[in-house]
Amino acid sequence: MKYRVGCPESVSQNTKSRGWIRSRSRGMEATPSRCLFLLFLFTCKLSPDVAADIQESSDGSSAPQEPVRLMGVPAAMEFIAAAEVAVIGFFQDLEIPAVPVFHGVVQKFQDVSFGISTDSEVLAHYNITGDTISLFRLVDNEQLNLESEDIENIDDTRLSRFIEINSLHFVTEYNPVTVIGLFNSMVQIHLLLMMDKASPEYEESLHRYHKAAKLFQGKILFILVDSGVKENGKVISFFKLKKSELPALAIYRTLDEEWDTLHVTEVSIEGVQNFCDGFLKGKRLVSVRLQGRQVECSSFLCLYYPY
């Protein structure tokens, strides 16, 4: 069964889109966060930094990347299971305008696997009833669809934005675009590693952090916040941390806005696991709730969208 993610009519009119983005995993109510997601998808441009990152990854490609032709359900299932993020074009007709647009964005996302299928059995397996572009991600087991009415007038910018927003990995780097996807996920607990990417320990720390993330698949979203980015200072200060106290972990639950922090001299799999397990069991090192605190912005959206 598929469910709709919708917005009030006013947002639909502003975006000039009455299409829906659907999820396979669970029902979704229309909330301000999801309305913001759709509004952002159809009206906003990628930030210069994010756009530059996408272009850089494309320019650094040694060989053209092409979508994999998926014939048969087993091949499609294996393809999706092997990628943290996979985007598949399910097309009944390869002559529609969306197909060359789909091919055109492949080079922009080197960390996303692209596939294409016209196999009727594959389409039926994934409940596809019309031309659809679907994004699959392992971190929260979501399938997000742009269906026929959504892709009828799709262009490079809108498709790129859809992919960039929703490409959540086992470790997702925080920026003003990925934050929309993070906020739109149904996983209610977020773990943030606040660390300077320029530090000598970064690569090894990220490797361990990524391994720890797999232990909490579907339970906690792991996020990297680069403390070397000036704008990220608001996220760090929200948790009452100073740059001198970094690297640090902060864990946040959206349901009741409760959070905790942990200063780490070294990022280890065991340390991250113990911190997450403790939070899940109700143990707090710094027991904090946002309710009643005198803060400039007390909403989850403000935490993740400080710009």
Side-chain angles (χ1 to χ4, degrees):
M1 182 177 294
K2 293 182 286 185
Y3 300 85
R4 291 186 173 188
V5 182
C7 286
E9 184 69 16
S10 60
V11 174
S12 178
Q13 290 174 346
N14 288 337
T15 60
K16 296 183 180 179
S17 170
R18 299 183 185 274
W20 300 94
I21 296 174
R22 303 187 182 185
S23 169
R24 68 173 176 178
S25 62
R26 56 183 67 83
M28 290 180 170
E29 297 294 335
T31 64
S33 66
R34 312 210 193 296
C35 294
L36 176 61
F37 164 69
L38 291 176
L39 183 63
F40 191 94
L41 175 62
F42 287 104
T43 63
C44 299
K45 296 181 179 179
L46 294 177
S47 68
D49 290 342
V50 173
D53 288 343
I54 295 176
Q55 184 62 44
E56 181 179 343
S57 65
S58 175
D59 293 343
S61 176
S62 58
Q65 182 180 354
E66 293 291 337
V68 176
R69 289 299 297 265
L70 301 172
M71 300 300 295
V73 174
M77 294 178 65
E78 182 179 359
F79 179 80
I80 293 169
E84 289 190 25
V85 179
V87 177
I88 300 178
F90 296 107
F91 299 116
Q92 297 174 328
D93 180 3
L94 291 179
E95 299 301 318
I96 65 172
V99 174
V101 173
F102 182 82
H103 280 273
V105 303
V106 171
Q107 297 302 316
K108 296 184 178 182
F109 300 93
Q110 298 301 308
D111 57 350
V112 175
S113 297
F114 287 84
I116 193 167
S117 182
T118 58
D119 189 319
S120 59
E121 292 185 1
V122 174
L123 272 63
H125 179 78
Y126 291 103
N127 297 318
I128 304 298
T129 58
D131 296 312
T132 301
I133 296 174
S134 297
L135 183 145
F136 299 83
R137 57 193 189 206
L138 293 182
V139 67
D140 56 359
N141 194 36
E142 288 281 359
Q143 174 186 337
L144 299 175
N145 297 338
L146 287 176
E147 299 188 333
S148 297
E149 60 269 36
D150 305 310
I151 67 174
E152 184 177 349
N153 297 309
I154 198 76
D155 57 21
D156 182 282
T157 300
R158 289 183 178 181
L159 183 55
S160 296
R161 190 180 302 126
F162 169 75
I163 297 171
E164 181 67 16
I165 288 172
N166 293 295
S167 291
L168 305 187
H169 296 261
F170 281 113
V171 176
T172 301
E173 184 169 357
Y174 165 80
N175 65 51
V177 178
T178 58
V179 63
I180 305 298
L182 290 166
F183 195 53
N184 197 49
S185 172
M186 296 301 289
V187 176
Q188 297 178 334
I189 299 178
H190 293 194
L191 180 72
L192 296 81
L193 170 62
M194 290 169 278
M195 184 177 193
D196 192 336
K197 290 177 65 175
S199 67
E201 300 82 13
Y202 167 71
E203 291 294 341
E204 184 59 32
S205 296
L206 181 63
H207 178 69
R208 296 170 184 160
Y209 191 57
H210 188 274
K211 282 190 172 183
K214 293 183 177 181
L215 301 175
F216 295 92
Q217 181 181 0
K219 297 180 180 179
I220 300 175
L221 295 179
F222 278 55
I223 302 163
L224 172 68
V225 179
D226 184 3
S227 60
V229 175
K230 181 179 179 181
E231 290 81 2
N232 290 345
K234 291 184 178 181
V235 178
I236 297 168
S237 62
F238 181 91
F239 292 104
K240 301 298 182 182
L241 292 170
K242 301 177 182 178
K243 294 195 72 170
S244 60
E245 299 175 297
L246 304 182
L249 296 170
I251 194 164
Y252 180 95
R253 183 164 54 220
T254 65
L255 183 63
D256 56 8
E257 297 188 312
E258 193 161 339
W259 56 270
D260 199 3
T261 59
L262 174 68
H263 170 69
V264 290
T265 55
E266 179 183 69
V267 177
S268 68
I269 298 173
E270 182 180 7
V272 173
Q273 184 176 6
N274 289 340
F275 182 56
C276 291
D277 284 339
F279 188 85
L280 292 173
K281 294 176 182 177
K283 299 177 182 179
R284 305 288 184 272
L285 300 176
V286 181
S287 184
V288 182
R289 291 177 66 89
L290 291 181
Q291 287 83 353
R293 291 179 64 228
Q294 296 299 316
V295 294
E296 179 180 351
C297 183
S298 61
S299 73
F300 180 50
L301 177 59
C302 290
L303 165 65
Y304 275 133
Y305 204 74
Y307 308 137

